[in-house]
Amino acid sequence: MGRGRWLVALVALLACLAVAPAVPAVRDLAAPGPGASHGLRMLVPNVPGGGFDVTARSAARTLSDTGLADPVEVFNLPGAGGVAGLGRLVNETGNDRLLLSMGLGVVGAVTSQDPRVTLANTTPVARLIEESEIVVVAAGSPLHDVRDLIDTWRADPAALPVGGGSTGGGPDHLATMLLAEGAGIPPERVDYVNHDGGGALLAALLAGEVAVGVSGLGEFADQLGTGSLRALAVTADERVPGLAVPTLRESGVDVEFSNWRGIVAPPGLDPGARAALVDLFARMRETPEWQEVLRDNGWRDVWLPGDQFGEFLHAEDERVAGMLGRMGLGGP
């Protein structure tokens, strides 16, 4: 191409670029709005895929998508049923940028292990959601309903390993023991195999390492949808909308049980910082995005802010200790 023709082509190209509309960079997250929270980190005290993890990542995404916060970092620190993560949080006195996704599982782990740190050492922010536990089996299991499960269980409780995604005193453990007790099986005879979160439990179920799984509904939703797992019953007081699965009571076992999750922060926060965190999650709760999260996961809104959540945590400590004691499964 001659020099003249090359210059003409270059000028034409520059002219096109000058009039072409600017294409903004693709961005999934809304820009943080006025007063948005910055630099938040959310600690998940078990492995990815469990209920605490799903709750934390759903909340983090909602906060970011709605512009209530800039992108929230979520990281996992598993160990001791959530007590390791709790210890990390308690050691961050005054840090209002760190949050812990927690729930009944952490209450149970603390109760059964009697560690040096407890939830009384934290700053309660909010109780967010409640969900039913669900009893599931692999698609090829010979157990087709709760009656099959109970008949097999009664014949030899120790021969039927039941997996849960929480340690002793956690929701999966408590739901399993209440189911056994309601079926007339001594809880201490049950072969309960604990896993560090729903992800590890799911792998054990699909590998045939446990015969039955008990965990939160949201942790098995995908596998129930694909047919790799079958649900035998839900533990809530009524059927879960959109899921054609009977309750335990409908199945002949007079047991009702639900799990809950919430957010706590380190100790030593000043009143203004604590109020700001409570307000942040109160605003998140009102967004259409969070309402969609609730629907998609089969969660119920059980909002309790700040001090009310703290009073609830104290009552849960006593309730879980009483349940474990009654069933002869108390901690140290």
Side-chain angles (χ1 to χ4, degrees):
M1 178 183 296
R3 179 178 176 83
R5 294 176 62 189
W6 180 85
L7 287 174
V8 169
L10 177 61
V11 170
L13 173 62
L14 292 174
C16 290
L17 291 175
V19 300
V23 179
V26 176
R27 188 180 182 197
D28 293 329
L29 305 178
S37 292
H38 302 285
L40 289 177
R41 306 176 71 223
M42 199 171 299
L43 192 164
V44 176
N46 60 11
V47 296
F52 295 150
D53 189 70
V54 173
T55 304
R57 295 182 190 280
S58 298
R61 185 175 63 250
T62 302
L63 290 170
S64 299
D65 287 354
T66 56
L68 292 172
D70 56 15
V72 179
E73 178 188 351
V74 178
F75 66 102
N76 299 75
L77 180 62
V83 174
L86 176 62
R88 163 70 183 276
L89 183 89
V90 169
N91 284 330
E92 295 272 352
T93 300
N95 183 358
D96 64 354
R97 302 294 84 190
L98 181 64
L99 301 167
L100 178 71
S101 173
M102 50 75 68
L104 182 55
V106 176
V107 174
V110 169
T111 301
S112 60
Q113 297 177 38
D114 193 25
R116 293 176 299 162
V117 295
T118 72
L119 288 164
N121 301 119
T122 69
T123 298
V125 175
R127 185 183 70 177
L128 294 176
I129 64 99
E130 180 180 72
E131 72 171 342
S132 175
E133 294 277 298
I134 189 167
V135 183
V136 300
V137 294
S141 170
L143 306 177
H144 297 287
D145 54 30
V146 172
R147 179 50 53 193
D148 286 345
L149 167 61
I150 291 174
D151 288 345
T152 304
W153 223 357
R154 284 176 176 165
D156 186 358
L160 190 75
V162 181
S166 63
T167 57
D172 303 349
H173 177 246
L174 291 174
T176 300
M177 297 306 155
L178 288 170
L179 172 56
E181 186 181 56
I185 300 167
E188 64 273 14
R189 295 190 61 199
V190 172
D191 181 16
Y192 177 80
V193 185
N194 68 276
H195 301 78
D196 200 354
L201 170 59
L202 174 62
L205 265 170
L206 296 178
E209 296 170 7
V210 293
V212 180
V214 179
S215 195
L217 170 58
E219 298 176 48
F220 294 139
D222 290 345
Q223 288 70 34
L224 290 171
T226 62
S228 56
L229 293 180
R230 287 189 290 106
L232 303 186
V234 295
T235 67
D237 59 345
E238 58 186 23
R239 291 193 179 200
V240 175
L243 190 67
V245 178
T247 66
L248 286 177
R249 283 206 172 103
E250 288 180 281
S251 304
V253 183
D254 190 18
V255 169
E256 171 195 330
F257 182 86
S258 292
N259 186 18
W260 59 266
R261 298 190 193 101
I263 302 292
V264 296
L269 269 59
D270 67 63
R274 179 182 182 184
L277 286 174
V278 173
D279 180 65
L280 175 66
F281 283 93
R283 287 185 289 151
M284 182 196 77
R285 174 185 175 237
E286 299 296 332
T287 64
E289 289 84 352
W290 184 248
Q291 297 305 312
E292 183 178 0
V293 166
L294 297 180
R295 290 191 298 271
D296 289 347
N297 288 282
W299 294 343
R300 288 185 287 184
D301 180 355
V302 288
W303 173 257
L304 273 181
D307 289 339
Q308 295 177 53
F309 183 34
E311 293 170 2
F312 172 79
L313 288 176
H314 178 72
E316 283 292 88
D317 283 339
E318 296 182 346
R319 182 176 77 98
V320 171
M323 291 172 65
L324 291 173
R326 187 190 78 239
M327 293 185 288
L329 301 169

